[in-house]
Amino acid sequence: MIRAKCVRMLADREEAQDVAQETFVRLWRSGVVGQEPAVLTAWIYRTSTRLAVDRLRQRRRNVIVAEPPEGSTPGAADLVEARHELERIARGVPAAELRAAILHRFDRMGQQEIAEVLGSSERTVRRLLERFDRRLAGER
Amino acid sequence: MGAHPSFRELDRIALGDDLPLAHRHASACDACAAYLGSHPAPHMTAPLAAPRRRRLPRLALIGAPALAAAAVAVALLLPSPPKEPWVATKGAPSVSLFVMRGATLSRWDGSAPFQPGDRIRLRVAPQGFTHVAVAAFDPLTKTWVPLFEGEVAGDEKLLPGSWELDAAPGSERILVALDTGPVRLDGAAWSRELVLPKSESPAP
């Protein structure tokens, strides 16, 4: 589950493996092991997304990973396109916007679920997504 | 059939959550069913790195199985919490014990034998107590050797660090004690002794 989430976000398998490993180590130390699935998955998605955003923002601009998502996943082509767009502008986008955008575009979450995972209000999430969409439109 | 559920909802289903709408969709959607099929409950795939660990005090030096420091794909078992803790009555403090064997993490059922090389962690639900102490029994000196002392605010706390079991014969004995202040092992307000049976075969 953790690895699949990281591959969705990052595509590059080595990079995804690194982030998945770091997420797993933090999970083991976190105190959420054994919690109910809603709590556990929120923690995993929040932590791995933060780590992935750090990676995305460190990538050199000309490194575009076009690898398709692992396995048979719904909307694979859309994921690849969304990843291209996100990688193109990642360094200039605030981390909070990137986190919300990743959860929305790669993990198919709605505003309510994103708010639950990030511990924000739905209003904040809506603003973040709107800002990201405007930014993306300006780049096209 | 409506829009796909989020991947997190599918992951929650894989972990045993009851999400009727998402479940109904997944049962009629090949792509979502394929995703769930690649993440059969309750196993998840994740890479493993070595967590911090300590050995139980009486352990002889043994050839501990090397932890995979490099990333490797492993199975991580995260069962849903049981309805009742296995060492408590309702409303009373409870202790859960998690065991990591190789790369598999599971909650101890209270009776399954441990293997040399297994690493354990404890989760405590203090139910109003504020301090916890953990000790292991040393059969050579016949004394309890402290492993951990600290505060336990909140509903539950996963105690930091892990302890590794050795190949010495016999069971391990762990004492978990709770109190409203610094804990005295011989006079704690609440305590529970866990006896961890061990099999002779080493962890793979």
Side-chain angles (χ1 to χ4, degrees):
Chain A
M1 180 180 102
I2 297 175
R3 190 179 56 181
K5 155 77 171 150
C6 293
V7 170
R8 273 201 305 278
M9 294 186 288
L10 294 164
D12 180 275
R13 288 177 194 276
E14 283 187 16
E15 208 169 26
Q17 186 83 343
D18 287 348
V19 171
Q21 179 179 337
E22 179 62 23
T23 304
F24 183 73
V25 170
R26 292 187 185 198
L27 172 67
W28 174 246
R29 294 172 176 169
S30 69
V32 296
V33 170
Q35 297 270 17
E36 60 188 57
V39 175
L40 180 67
T41 53
W43 188 97
I44 289 172
Y45 273 72
R46 180 169 58 250
T47 302
S48 59
T49 302
R50 282 180 178 160
L51 292 170
V53 163
D54 290 344
R55 291 292 183 119
L56 282 170
R57 287 158 61 84
Q58 288 165 6
R59 273 184 186 169
R60 285 179 295 136
R61 249 181 222 284
N62 59 346
V63 176
I64 302 293
V65 179
E67 196 171 349
E70 186 179 57
S72 174
T73 55
D78 291 343
L79 277 181
V80 172
E81 178 58 31
R83 192 182 297 127
H84 280 179
E85 287 187 327
L86 188 135
E87 285 169 352
R88 190 157 43 83
I89 65 171
R91 289 181 65 162
V93 179
E97 267 182 51
L98 272 181
R99 288 195 284 266
I102 284 174
L103 292 172
H104 181 59
R105 288 165 169 260
F106 297 166
D107 298 325
R108 301 192 308 222
M109 289 186 195
Q111 292 174 6
Q112 184 180 357
E113 191 174 19
I114 294 171
E116 181 187 335
V117 167
L118 295 181
S120 310
S121 68
E122 283 188 59
R123 187 180 169 201
T124 301
V125 170
R126 186 168 59 250
R127 275 208 309 260
L128 290 171
L129 292 176
E130 286 171 354
R131 264 189 236 151
F132 183 83
D133 287 343
R134 281 200 299 272
R135 204 183 297 274
L136 206 56
E139 288 281 331
R140 281 171 180 159
Chain B
M1 187 169 60
H4 294 298
S6 71
F7 283 105
R8 177 173 168 252
E9 286 176 314
L10 294 177
D11 288 335
R12 285 176 61 183
I13 290 174
L15 291 171
D17 241 357
D18 184 25
L19 302 173
L21 284 177
H23 205 279
R24 199 174 309 136
H25 172 99
S27 64
C29 171
D30 290 343
C32 289
Y35 179 83
L36 280 176
S38 66
H39 303 78
H43 294 276
M44 302 189 296
T45 54
L48 173 69
R52 288 176 300 152
R53 56 181 176 155
R54 285 166 277 176
R55 287 174 180 276
L56 289 169
R58 77 186 175 107
L59 305 186
L61 286 175
I62 59 168
L67 287 171
V72 291
V74 298
L76 167 65
L77 177 61
L78 286 171
S80 298
K83 296 297 181 194
E84 298 289 341
W86 53 265
V87 289
T89 56
K90 200 162 187 174
S94 64
V95 179
S96 301
L97 190 150
F98 293 90
V99 55
M100 183 168 254
R101 175 170 302 157
T104 301
L105 177 66
S106 59
R107 185 193 292 259
W108 187 43
D109 63 4
S111 61
F114 290 82
Q115 294 178 355
D118 284 351
R119 283 167 289 135
I120 61 171
R121 290 195 72 173
L122 295 166
R123 175 189 288 279
V124 176
Q127 298 288 354
F129 291 112
T130 56
H131 290 67
V132 64
V134 179
F137 188 73
D138 183 348
L140 297 177
T141 62
K142 300 194 184 309
T143 57
W144 288 98
V145 179
L147 298 177
F148 174 80
E149 291 180 50
E151 296 185 7
V152 279
D155 293 336
E156 282 190 308
K157 179 172 182 175
L158 186 70
L159 302 186
S162 61
W163 296 282
E164 184 176 309
L165 276 66
D166 72 352
S171 300
E172 298 282 354
R173 293 167 61 191
I174 305 286
L175 183 69
V176 181
L178 295 166
D179 215 323
T180 52
V183 181
R184 282 171 47 114
L185 288 175
D186 57 352
W190 182 93
S191 65
R192 182 70 79 243
E193 182 178 333
L194 311 177
V195 179
L196 283 50
K198 281 197 293 190
S199 63
E200 293 180 357
S201 56

